[in-house]
Structures are given as structure tokens and as C-alpha cells.
Amino acid sequence: MCGRYTLFTPPEDLRERFGATPTRPMEPRYNCAPGQELPVVTNEAPDEFRFLKWGLVPSWADSASVGNDRINARAETVARKRSFADAYESRRCLVPADGFYEWVDRGGAKQPYRVAFEDDRPFAMAGLWERWAPKTKQTGLGDFGGGGPSREQEPLETFTVVTTEPNDLISDLHNRMAVVLAPEEESTWLHGEPNEVASLLDTHPDDDITVYPVSTRVNSPANDGRELIEPVEV
């Protein structure tokens, strides 16, 4: 799975790499976590980094809380699973990152490892996004008195990261990994037809990838500093 990642590449480098401008200031992030609003590039606005909440909420959901269980979508079932099929058809996105974390059970303790390219260059993980409109609520007397005017709530935009089988290097850490797109695949992922993008959901090779242990401080999403990416001895 992909449950945490980093994105500390300078904003100007991200603009050049993805051809997108952020809709709000971008700060370096060393512990991006589910439930947070994070920058993505959507097929609807490919020239912008828009900030969406991590944890996909399908448009038909009764509650936004369902997003807590939808931070990842399996490549093998994404086209047919109800939670993701509509987004796979027409709402795909790029999730920029420069590394992600995986955990290994070491005698009952979870040891985090960071996975990144050797030069820490940014890359895009394949993602899906959705726009969920909360049900309108009556103000005033509610159900018992004729009610008051409806109070519109802002739509919630969310995303998920697509995962696939791991490469040999990452298989020592976990049985899943994020789908890492090659730069030349990113436009097709955003704008291609479903039958064109299925082949992109493959396993990224492990050449030019480094894996190393990091501090268990990354286990808490409350921690978010550069010290989280420093190697440690285990």
C-alpha cells in the first residue's frame, strides 16, 4: 500500500517538472498522510496543483468518512470496483511525490523505510479523484416545522493512490507499491481512454531506486520535518 509519502521538492522545480502552478503556497512536506489536503494535478485542471483531501469519497457516498478506507485503489480491480470505477473512467490525477514510506515488522515493532529515486527527483503516482457534494441541510425548525432555507455546503474533493504488485526491492518491505508513472506516461494517464491507461498500471522497475530505514518518528503524522528522511541504523 501507500500510506505516507514525501514532497519537499522546491515549488519552482515542481512547476517546471509538471507544468502546473499551485493554487496555494506549497510548503516542503516530509510526512504526507491520509486525511490531509495535498497537491495533485487533475485531468480537469492539468496546469494547476489543486489541494485535495487524501482518501477518496465516491460521489454516491452517504458520508465523507468512507474516504478513511479508500486511500489506495488496487490496479487489478480499479476498473470494476464501485468505489473507483467512475473515477477511473473520467477523473484521473497525478499525485506528485519524491519518496514514500513502507513499514516492516521487526519483532513486533514497525520500522519505517523510505523509498525514493537515488537523486530524490520528483515523480508522479497514479491517482483518482472525486468531487462529493454533501446533502443539503435545512436550517431553522428542520423536520418538524416547515424548516428553513437549505444551507449549501462546499463540495469535497478527494483522491486516492493506485497500487500494484511491488518490484523485487520493495517486495522485501511490502506486498504492494504505488503505481509510479514514467514522465512520458503522465499525459496519457490524465487524458487517455480507459483502454489506453490500463497498461500503465504496471510495476516500476527497481533500478535507480533506493530504500533505507528512517526514524520511527515518521509513524506519527504530527511529525513533519526534514529529520524524518535522514537514514538511521537498525
Side-chain angles (χ1 to χ4, degrees), residues 11-228:
E12 57 271 22
D13 293 346
L14 290 173
R15 290 189 189 99
E16 182 177 353
R17 166 63 177 78
F18 291 98
T21 302
T23 57
R24 70 171 77 160
M26 294 177 69
E27 300 294 332
R29 298 296 310 277
Y30 301 92
N31 199 6
C32 299
Q36 298 175 350
E37 291 188 349
L38 300 164
V40 303
V41 177
T42 67
N43 60 329
E44 185 178 84
D47 58 349
E48 294 180 342
F49 288 113
R50 294 166 57 181
F51 287 75
L52 278 58
K53 185 177 179 181
W54 189 5
L56 189 136
V57 181
S59 60
W60 45 261
D62 292 328
S63 169
S65 63
V66 304
N68 298 337
D69 299 323
R70 292 167 173 81
I71 66 170
N72 292 155
R74 293 177 65 91
E76 298 86 345
T77 59
V78 68
R80 62 179 185 273
K81 191 169 183 180
R82 186 184 179 214
S83 294
F84 306 119
D86 285 349
Y88 177 72
E89 181 83 18
S90 57
R91 285 178 295 280
R92 296 186 290 271
C93 64
L94 306 177
V95 182
D98 41 38
F100 56 88
Y101 299 106
E102 297 291 355
W103 278 259
V104 175
D105 191 340
R106 300 294 190 196
K110 295 289 189 179
Q111 173 60 53
Y113 286 75
R114 182 167 179 261
V115 180
F117 286 109
E118 292 177 354
D119 59 0
D120 269 334
R121 67 181 181 270
F123 55 88
M125 299 183 290
L128 310 174
W129 71 280
E130 275 282 9
R131 182 178 290 120
W132 178 75
K135 295 179 180 178
T136 57
K137 295 182 178 180
Q138 295 286 334
T139 58
L141 296 177
D143 294 337
F144 295 101
S150 296
R151 177 164 52 88
E152 294 288 342
Q153 293 181 285
E154 288 293 323
L156 176 66
E157 294 185 331
T158 60
F159 74 96
T160 189
V161 175
V162 183
T163 65
T164 189
E165 295 289 327
N167 59 38
D168 290 341
L169 188 62
I170 296 175
S171 65
D172 291 334
L173 308 178
H174 202 278
N175 61 3
R176 305 292 296 174
M177 68 173 289
V179 172
V180 176
L181 298 167
E184 63 271 17
E185 296 174 334
E186 293 168 3
S187 179
T188 301
W189 175 251
L190 286 181
H191 306 297
E193 296 298 323
N195 63 327
E196 296 178 280
V197 303
S199 63
L200 305 183
L201 300 179
D202 55 0
T203 300
H204 196 281
D206 56 14
D207 53 310
D208 200 22
I209 288 180
T210 184
V211 173
Y212 61 91
V214 294
S215 169
T216 55
R217 283 176 51 80
V218 79
N219 295 356
S220 171
N223 299 322
D224 192 357
R226 187 170 183 84
E227 71 278 2
L228 299 183

